[in-house]
């Protein structure tokens, strides 16, 4: 009798751990222009599903397909607004979101989707050379509002000059309105190339970061687990590497 009771308890726990999702369940996915990881056709500030491209957009689509979870995907602007929306709305997700210790408790995470490095970029003819961020305290640093790079600089008291669109920093840099542009590599150079600007000089690399899908804390654990298993399988079978080669 005791064995039957224990077996029933184990079965109940297992069935709960792998609970089926409701038939109408879906995740609302939000992203932004962050090439080459996620981007809209013609750099528009709004796009839906098929009009959204990029390394991580492709990875996320395949991840949801393999996990048999439905979704709605749209690209919006600005990042600050969609970031706050996913923090507040159940069953919503945001990518490409940089994983940081400060952000960790705010979301449930699936990833990493990709890795980037943080850099300070100067004009091609700049003679500036830095060995650490402390040397940048006297500089005018352009950054992207509420981006992980900008948040990091703000925590260090470096007071970046934030723009609502990261592309705005390209013009500011070339016009001498900022001394350096704090951005991610390969994102910054990719954005600059789209604007016809090449040869920007990296004067400092100051962090390595990983990009994730960040899900609202109310997202069922079953969703997180199925997506993570799908991503792990994609990485193991070479799918992720193949998607990277399409863009880089």
């Amino acid at each position: 009798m005791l064995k039957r009771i224990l077996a029933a308890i184990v079965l109940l726990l297992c069935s709960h751990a792998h609970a089926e999702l409701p038939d109408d369940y879906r995740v609302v996915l939000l992203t932004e222009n962050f090439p080459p990881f996620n981007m809209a056709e013609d750099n528009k500030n709004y796009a839906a599903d098929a009009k959204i491209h990029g390394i991580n957009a492709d990875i996320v689509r395949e991840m949801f397909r393999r996990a048999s979870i439905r979704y709605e995907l749209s690209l919006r602007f600005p990042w600050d607004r969609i970031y706050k929306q996913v923090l507040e709305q159940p069953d919503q997700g945001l990518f490409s979101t940089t994983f940081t210790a400060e952000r960790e408790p705010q979301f449930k995470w699936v990833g990493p989707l990709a890795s980037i490095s943080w850099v300070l970029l100067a004009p091609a003819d700049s003679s500036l050379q830095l060995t650490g961020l402390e040397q940048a305290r006297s500089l005018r640093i352009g950054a992207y509002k509420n981006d992980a790079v900008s948040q990091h600089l703000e925590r260090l008291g470096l007071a970046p000059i934030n723009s609502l669109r990261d592309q705005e920093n390209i013009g500011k840099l070339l016009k001498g309105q900022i001394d350096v542009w704090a951005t991610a590599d390969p994102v910054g150079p990719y954005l600059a190339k789209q604007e016809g600007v090449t040869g920007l000089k990296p004067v400092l690399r100051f962090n390595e970061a990983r990009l994730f899908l960040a899900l609202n804390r109310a997202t069922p654990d079953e969703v997180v687990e199925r997506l993570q298993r799908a991503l792990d399988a994609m990485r193991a079978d070479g799918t992720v590497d193949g998607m990277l080669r399409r863009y880089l």
Side-chain angles (χ1 to χ4, degrees):
M1 182 66 177
L2 181 58
K3 288 183 178 179
R4 286 200 297 272
I5 294 173
L6 290 174
I9 292 173
V10 171
L11 181 61
L12 179 63
L13 291 173
C14 289
S15 64
H16 178 72
H18 300 283
E20 290 295 323
L21 299 172
D23 290 340
D24 61 349
Y25 183 82
R26 68 182 62 227
V27 178
V28 174
L29 293 174
L30 299 175
T31 189
E32 60 155 353
N33 277 311
F34 189 63
F37 297 107
N38 21 274
M39 49 195 167
E41 291 182 358
D42 301 323
N43 292 320
K44 293 179 179 178
N45 288 329
Y46 176 81
D49 200 32
K51 300 289 187 180
I52 301 169
H53 305 284
I55 297 166
N56 288 348
D58 291 352
I59 290 173
V60 168
R61 281 194 184 94
E62 177 63 11
M63 193 167 65
F64 272 79
R65 188 192 70 80
R66 293 193 186 195
S68 299
I69 297 173
R70 292 187 294 176
Y71 66 90
E72 298 173 2
L73 172 60
S74 62
L75 182 146
R76 307 273 178 100
F77 173 82
W79 171 259
D80 186 52
R81 182 189 304 161
I82 61 175
Y83 183 92
K84 291 176 181 176
Q85 179 177 326
V86 174
L87 276 174
E88 297 168 357
Q89 297 295 324
D91 300 315
Q92 295 203 6
L94 181 67
F95 72 93
S96 302
T97 310
T98 302
F99 181 92
T100 66
E102 292 77 17
R103 288 176 171 178
E104 182 175 9
Q106 297 178 329
F107 299 99
K108 291 183 178 179
W109 301 87
V110 178
L113 306 175
S115 297
I116 56 175
S117 60
W118 294 352
V119 294
L120 296 182
L121 297 178
D125 59 356
S126 174
S127 60
L128 189 63
Q129 292 183 337
L130 303 175
T131 57
L133 277 176
E134 282 300 313
Q135 294 178 320
R137 286 197 177 274
S138 61
L139 301 178
R140 296 168 298 168
I141 306 172
Y144 182 23
K145 185 178 180 181
N146 214 30
D147 177 65
V149 181
S150 176
Q151 290 176 343
H152 179 75
L153 296 175
E154 288 170 348
R155 283 193 297 272
L156 295 176
L158 289 171
I161 302 168
N162 287 314
S163 296
L164 286 178
R165 298 177 72 248
D166 210 13
Q167 291 93 327
E168 294 173 10
N169 288 302
I170 302 164
K172 288 182 178 180
L173 189 65
L174 298 182
K175 293 173 184 175
Q177 296 171 348
I178 56 176
D179 300 309
V180 290
W181 172 23
T183 185
D185 187 7
V187 178
Y190 193 99
L191 289 174
K193 187 176 181 180
Q194 288 185 318
E195 300 290 325
V197 177
T198 59
L200 294 181
K201 178 182 175 182
V203 296
L204 180 68
R205 292 185 184 274
F206 59 95
N207 193 34
E208 298 294 323
R210 296 179 299 163
L211 303 176
F212 280 69
L213 167 64
L215 296 162
N216 179 273
R217 290 290 302 173
T219 304
D221 289 340
E222 173 71 7
V223 172
V224 180
E225 292 164 6
R226 280 162 59 173
L227 291 171
Q228 188 64 58
R229 286 197 298 269
L231 178 60
D232 292 344
M234 290 167 60
R235 186 163 283 110
D237 66 20
T239 300
V240 170
D241 286 341
M243 291 174 172
L244 282 168
R245 286 194 293 270
R246 292 180 198 169
Y247 295 91
L248 298 178

